[in-house]
């Protein structure tokens, strides 16, 4: 069987592809229902997602802008 490409490091999540056999679908479905952005997106922007407790689309937008600004300064 081909290994799934998932880059998410939240391995204890019941929706993670290593914990069920439906790939990313359960994760995406849960996040869409809750108006959130999957952890793999956050991790792709910044390796450490520290201090974030609300994973809403609005907070993700703010997170992206903050970390893109820091990357420009570096």
């Amino acid at each position: 069987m081909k290994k799934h490409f998932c880059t998410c490091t939240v391995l204890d999540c019941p929706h993670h592809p290593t914990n069920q056999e439906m790939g990313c679908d359960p994760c995406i479905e849960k996040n869409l229902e809750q108006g959130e952005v999957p952890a793999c997106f956050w991790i792709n922007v910044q390796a450490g997602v520290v201090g974030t407790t609300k994973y809403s689309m609005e907070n993700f937008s703010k997170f992206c802008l903050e970390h893109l600004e820091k990357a420009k300064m570096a």
Side-chain angles (χ1 to χ4, degrees):
M1 181 174 160
K2 184 178 174 185
K3 185 179 179 200
H4 198 274
F5 72 92
C6 182
T7 60
C8 180
T9 58
V10 186
L11 301 177
D12 60 342
C13 176
H15 304 292
H16 193 280
T18 59
N19 298 323
Q20 43 78 28
E21 296 185 7
M22 295 182 287
C24 293
D25 289 0
C27 176
I28 301 299
E29 183 177 19
K30 181 213 58 117
N31 282 284
L32 287 173
E33 286 175 1
Q34 295 181 2
E36 296 181 342
V37 176
C40 60
F41 282 53
W42 293 80
I43 294 165
N44 189 51
V45 174
Q46 174 70 19
V49 183
V50 179
T52 302
T53 57
K54 294 183 181 178
Y55 298 95
S56 68
M57 292 181 190
E58 179 182 359
N59 283 351
F60 181 70
S61 298
K62 291 176 185 176
F63 183 81
C64 288
L65 291 172
E66 176 186 334
H67 290 285
L68 290 174
E69 198 60 39
K70 286 180 183 177
K72 287 180 188 177
M73 292 180 187

